Amino acid sequence: MPAPRIVIIGAGFAGYNVARRLERSLKPHAAQIRIVAPFGYTLYQPLLPQVAAGVLDPRSIAGPLHRLLRQTQLIPGSAVGVDLDARTVEVALIDGRTVPVDYDRLILCPGSVTRTFDIPGLHEHGHGMKNLAEAVYLRDHVIAQLELASASHDPAERAARCGFLVVGGGYSGVETAANLQLLTVKAMRRFPRLDPALVSWTLVDVADRLLPELGERLGVDTLHRLGRRGIDIRLGVSLERLTADTAHLTDGRVLPCRTAVWTAGVTPAPVIATMKAATERGRLVVGADLRISDRPEVFALGDAAAVPDLVTGGDAVCPPTAQHATRQAHTAADNVISSLLGRPTREYRHRDLGLVVDLGGGQAVARPVGVPLSGPPAQAVTRGYHLLTLPGLRAKTRTLGDWALHALAGDDLIRLGFLDTRTGRLADLEHTAGR
Ligand SMILES: Cc1cc2nc3c(=O)[nH]c(=O)nc-3n(C[C@H](O)[C@H](O)[C@H](O)COP(=O)(O)OP(=O)(O)OC[C@H]3O[C@@H](n4cnc5c(N)ncnc54)[C@H](O)[C@@H]3O)c2cc1C
């Protein structure tokens, strides 16, 4: 019997952990495992804001696939279509060629991209915080604004370059605003020509509280902590229109602003929409054993799949979090093996362990196993959690070293300039294969 061909699409939390579990559970050569991934790393997204803020080096949160996966073949490219009847994935390789990849078992884990709305100017002027390119771009962009403001004699230009807006009060938006605001405040020492009072940060969300996942008390705590730092937080407010140098809010305010970061939600990777399969809010509908209906050989999980949340019950589906993607990966790998051996599959069931949110500067809020924490204890739990869950020893060691170096020596404020020729729009930097 030829070894079954297992193909995984995407090497994020879900895809990487499926491959790793398969490698550990299967004897060498018992199956041919292949992973389609556009980059050579698995990205630890929760620490992206710290890359943007210069606390961490980009490589510290990128787990090297060639080192971490020893028996899995990397197909460097992106899935642009799936023929479920022919059991073939169409892959656009990174050199532009398109090749078919056949499978006996397919595991779909392409994650999500930033969800946007038809807000005038958002696509032209908004930035995202979903991948390494966006984090590195944003860091360069923010430092460039301070450099240009310092070099300008025009008060209006200086105000717009020092005005920063983040849309979205979930963990991604809060961490981005908190960490980047600290960067700009501390950077003022290097820009003596700029009045520190010019730097303004605004965080808006249509909801009536921050970080709803953490409960009301920690949401209010975060609001006060960030407010004391000088971040203007507006709840029940969103973005109405964006131009190159202004942000128009739904409460009527017009902010001078050349940096707007959009973190208001995610939507599944575009390749999912190319498939002839049922979706719920764009996520692939799967059963509790992570298989899509009528296709027992196809599994889907992570942000791209609407996985029933059996712990919450009812019609609830698991929220798009790294915690669920990682746990689902274990179930998916076990069920792939069971399906190959003709054994029954098991259902995915996981009780949420809580969330950690790093606000930078020694501050954090967290709710591990339901216990609300803030301040230094939350910071210790947050950093300990990240060190435990970062992929591989190199990433953990690098991250620990970066934290120590940053605490001792501060920010180097280096603007790399690699992305100067790109506009840094969401459409430029996010992964849109299959669209
Ligand atoms: C700033 C930020 C902070 C976050 N903080 C937390 C947190 O504190 N706790 C938490 O639980 N979650 C957090 N999350 C959410 C978490 O990162 C996601 O839920 C998680 O990454 C989902 O895992 P995934 O494997 O489904 O997708 P991803 O990790 O996004 O991986 C998908 C991979 O597939 C690749 N891909 C996309 N399309 C294709 C294609 N067509 N072909 C091949 N490959 C493709 C992508 O490039 C990517 O590498 C955060 C997210 C962000 C952006």
Side-chain angles (χ1 to χ4, degrees):
M1 285 281 286
R5 297 158 302 176
I6 303 175
V7 174
I8 304 166
I9 296 180
F13 279 92
Y16 161 69
N17 282 295
V18 168
R20 200 167 157 77
R21 179 96 164 189
L22 287 172
E23 286 194 356
R24 286 181 172 185
S25 306
L26 288 168
K27 289 199 178 94
H29 312 299
Q32 179 199 58
I33 311 170
R34 295 199 276 177
I35 193 161
V36 181
F39 312 112
Y41 56 82
T42 179
L43 179 64
Y44 192 81
Q45 289 180 24
L47 288 175
L48 279 174
Q50 294 196 32
V51 168
V55 177
L56 296 178
D57 187 80
R59 286 203 299 169
S60 302
I61 65 165
L65 292 178
H66 291 296
R67 284 182 73 102
L68 295 171
L69 298 175
R70 298 294 173 95
Q71 294 158 47
T72 302
Q73 185 201 339
L74 174 70
I75 303 180
S78 302
V80 289
V82 180
D83 186 334
L84 293 170
D85 295 326
R87 296 192 179 187
T88 297
V89 180
E90 192 188 349
V91 176
L93 296 172
I94 52 174
D95 67 0
R97 282 176 298 146
T98 301
V99 294
V101 176
D102 298 334
Y103 62 83
D104 297 306
R105 294 292 179 277
L106 176 66
I107 308 153
L108 290 153
C109 323
S112 54
V113 293
T114 300
R115 178 176 57 136
T116 55
F117 301 95
D118 278 338
I119 295 175
L122 178 61
H123 293 270
E124 294 80 8
H125 308 295
H127 304 291
M129 177 54 75
K130 193 74 181 79
N131 58 40
L132 218 41
E134 287 181 325
V136 172
Y137 179 91
L138 195 59
R139 173 170 174 73
D140 264 26
H141 175 82
V142 168
I143 297 174
Q145 299 317 300
L146 299 180
E147 292 174 349
L148 289 164
S150 177
S152 169
H153 297 284
D154 176 359
E157 181 184 347
R158 285 163 80 112
R161 296 210 181 272
C162 292
F164 301 92
L165 171 70
V166 177
V167 185
Y171 43 67
S172 163
V174 166
E175 288 188 334
T176 300
N179 285 280
L180 280 169
Q181 189 253 2
L182 272 187
L183 158 73
T184 55
V185 168
K186 290 185 178 164
M188 280 303 107
R189 273 178 283 160
R190 312 274 174 234
F191 295 95
R193 289 191 67 248
L194 282 181
D195 176 1
L198 259 186
V199 174
S200 93
W201 278 85
T202 307
L203 173 65
V204 300
D205 196 304
V206 278
D208 58 2
R209 63 183 193 197
L210 292 179
L211 298 170
E213 311 89 338
L214 284 182
E216 191 170 350
R217 193 179 123 194
L218 288 180
V220 172
D221 187 302
T222 309
L223 189 95
H224 289 149
R225 279 174 194 277
L226 297 186
R228 278 197 297 274
R229 280 201 207 161
I231 299 179
D232 183 5
I233 299 170
R234 310 223 146 202
L235 298 175
V237 172
S238 189
L239 181 66
E240 193 173 81
R241 187 158 67 88
L242 202 56
T243 71
D245 53 9
T246 52
H248 299 246
L249 304 183
T250 52
D251 63 357
R253 272 205 324 157
V254 180
L255 308 173
C257 168
R258 278 186 169 265
T259 310
V261 190
W262 180 265
T263 66
V266 293
T267 188
V271 66
I272 297 297
T274 69
M275 295 176 53
K276 290 190 190 112
T279 56
E280 183 184 327
R281 295 186 178 199
R283 298 170 92 184
L284 275 175
V285 173
V286 294
D289 66 353
L290 308 177
R291 296 202 267 200
I292 69 174
S293 80
D294 301 331
R295 300 285 176 182
E297 71 283 4
V298 182
F299 297 74
L301 55 149
D303 285 10
V307 178
D309 185 347
L310 297 184
V311 173
T312 305
D315 292 337
V317 294
C318 298
T321 65
Q323 200 184 123
H324 277 294
T326 306
R327 293 337 184 270
Q328 287 165 7
H330 298 164
T331 305
D334 293 351
N335 285 349
V336 166
I337 295 171
S338 295
S339 75
L340 290 170
L341 297 175
R343 293 187 191 144
T345 53
R346 68 180 168 94
E347 294 182 330
Y348 173 72
R349 193 181 290 269
H350 170 67
R351 189 171 295 281
D352 204 274
L353 295 176
L355 195 69
V356 295
V357 179
D358 198 320
L359 304 174
Q363 292 187 327
V365 284
R367 199 185 183 85
V369 289
V371 182
L373 295 176
S374 56
Q379 171 88 358
V381 168
T382 301
R383 294 211 160 175
Y385 175 79
H386 288 316
L387 283 179
L388 269 178
T389 49
L390 272 158
L393 192 60
R394 289 170 89 86
K396 295 181 204 293
T397 313
R398 277 204 170 107
T399 298
L400 197 58
D402 287 353
W403 279 336
L405 186 62
H406 192 266
L408 287 173
D411 198 332
D412 51 24
L413 281 183
I414 294 175
R415 180 173 54 81
L416 294 170
F418 291 150
L419 298 170
D420 276 359
T421 50
R422 304 184 70 164
T423 57
R425 297 173 311 167
L426 289 157
D428 294 327
L429 300 181
E430 293 218 357
H431 196 75
T432 51
R435 187 169 278 173

